[in-house]
Amino acid sequence: MNTISIIGYLTADPTTRATSTGKTVTTFTVGVTRSRKDANGDRVSDFFRVNAWGSTADFCGKYLFKGSRVAVTGELNMNSYEGKDGKTRYSLDVQADKVENLTEKKQEPKEKPVSEWDDISSDDLPFGR
C-alpha cells in the first residue's frame, strides 16, 4: 500500500487547469518542516507537489492560497524529468485523495479599518521561500 499523509503550508497559490479530456486538476506545493534538526541545529523542510483532481481540485482552487495550512492524504509518486542542463531530476508528487484546509478563519477587527492594517511581506513568513 502506498499512502502518505503530510501537514504543511502552501508555498504559492494553487494553479487550476483542465486536461485535454476536460478533467480538472489543481496543483500546489506543500512545504513540510521535519521534526528533527540537522547537524547544524537547523530545521529541514521537504517540498511536495500535490495534484488534486475533480471536486477536490475545485475545493483546493477555491479555498486554498499561499500560506494555507493543509493536511493532505494520498499516493506518493516519484517522477523523473530532464532539466534544462540535461541532467535527470526527480520530484515527489502526491496524488491527493483528501485535502483538508487547516487554516483558521481570520476574524475582521470591529473597529480598526482595513487601511490601517500593517502590511506583511512574504519575507516575514516562515514558509514559501
Side-chain angles (χ1 to χ4, degrees):
M1 179 186 282
N2 178 354
T3 303
I4 184 170
S5 295
I6 59 173
I7 296 177
Y9 296 91
L10 268 69
T11 62
D13 289 334
T15 303
T16 301
R17 64 179 178 83
T19 66
S20 59
T21 60
K23 293 182 180 180
T24 304
V25 59
T26 298
T27 303
F28 53 93
T29 301
V30 177
V32 179
T33 303
R34 295 184 187 191
S35 58
R36 296 185 184 153
K37 296 179 181 179
D38 66 9
N40 297 324
D42 297 324
R43 294 257 184 221
V44 177
S45 294
D46 297 307
F47 298 91
F48 298 89
R49 186 168 61 189
V50 177
N51 299 304
W53 297 85
S55 60
T56 304
D58 296 335
F59 167 82
C60 293
K62 186 173 183 180
Y63 294 106
L64 301 181
F65 51 89
K66 179 180 179 178
S68 293
R69 185 169 188 243
V70 294
V72 178
T73 303
E75 182 178 299
L76 183 64
N77 296 314
M78 179 178 279
N79 297 309
S80 63
Y81 61 95
E82 186 175 316
K84 293 180 181 179
D85 59 1
K87 294 183 180 179
T88 301
R89 307 261 186 226
Y90 299 93
S91 68
L92 293 175
D93 293 1
V94 178
Q95 301 303 317
D97 294 325
K98 181 179 177 184
V99 177
E100 185 177 351
N101 188 352
L102 302 177
T103 303
E104 294 181 24
K105 293 182 180 180
K106 296 179 182 177
Q107 295 180 350
E108 293 184 8
K110 295 181 180 177
E111 298 180 16
K112 190 174 182 182
V114 174
S115 62
E116 292 180 16
W117 286 2
D118 295 331
D119 289 333
I120 298 174
S121 75
S122 59
D123 294 335
D124 296 331
L125 301 175
F127 47 84
R129 295 182 192 171

